[in-house]
Amino acid sequence: PFLVFGVIPKQVWLLIGKFAEKCARIAGRVLSNISSGVYAILHLVLPKIRDFVVATLQHPFTQAFYNRVVVPLWSMSTPWVLPAMTAAIAVSCGAAVKEKVAAGSATLGQDALLLGLG
């Protein structure tokens, strides 16, 4: 690195620095214009999307569908979610233990202590 600085004149480094600064200023202006445009578009579009979603959710059909279909299905299914997930975890763990035991005690290693097989 020292040799490179010694061989290349200082004016070249200054010229490279000025060029880099100019590129950074131009990129900054471009990014500023792009972000301003994106902000303006979002500022115009998002309130319309919000109004549409609110109007859709407050429509009598949507409310009736929620009250007559979603709420009863939710009420019937939610008490079974926790037991079903617990059963899935138990089956998965049981299958892993079965594979380890079937492979033999040599492959159990430290897991034998946890399984009570050691």
Side-chain angles (χ1 to χ4, degrees):
F2 178 73
L3 181 63
V4 173
F5 286 117
V7 173
I8 298 176
K10 183 178 180 179
Q11 290 78 16
V12 174
W13 290 113
L14 293 175
L15 184 66
I16 291 172
K18 287 179 184 178
F19 179 73
E21 287 177 4
K22 193 177 277 191
C23 288
R25 271 193 236 109
I26 291 171
R29 276 188 250 134
V30 168
L31 290 175
S32 176
N33 290 338
I34 290 172
S35 62
S36 296
V38 169
Y39 177 78
I41 291 170
L42 291 177
H43 189 70
L44 293 173
V45 172
L46 286 180
K48 293 178 182 177
I49 293 173
R50 184 195 65 225
D51 293 342
F52 173 76
V53 169
V54 168
T56 302
L57 292 176
Q58 291 179 347
H59 192 273
F61 175 76
T62 307
Q63 290 180 348
F65 178 78
Y66 177 78
N67 289 330
R68 293 192 178 119
V69 176
V70 174
V71 170
L73 286 174
W74 184 259
S75 297
M76 288 185 329
S77 64
T78 51
W80 293 101
V81 173
L82 184 60
M85 292 302 112
T86 305
I89 291 169
V91 167
S92 173
C93 291
V97 169
K98 183 179 176 183
E99 286 178 16
K100 289 234 179 203
V101 170
S105 61
T107 60
L108 286 174
Q110 293 178 348
D111 292 340
L113 297 175
L114 295 174
L115 299 173
L117 300 173

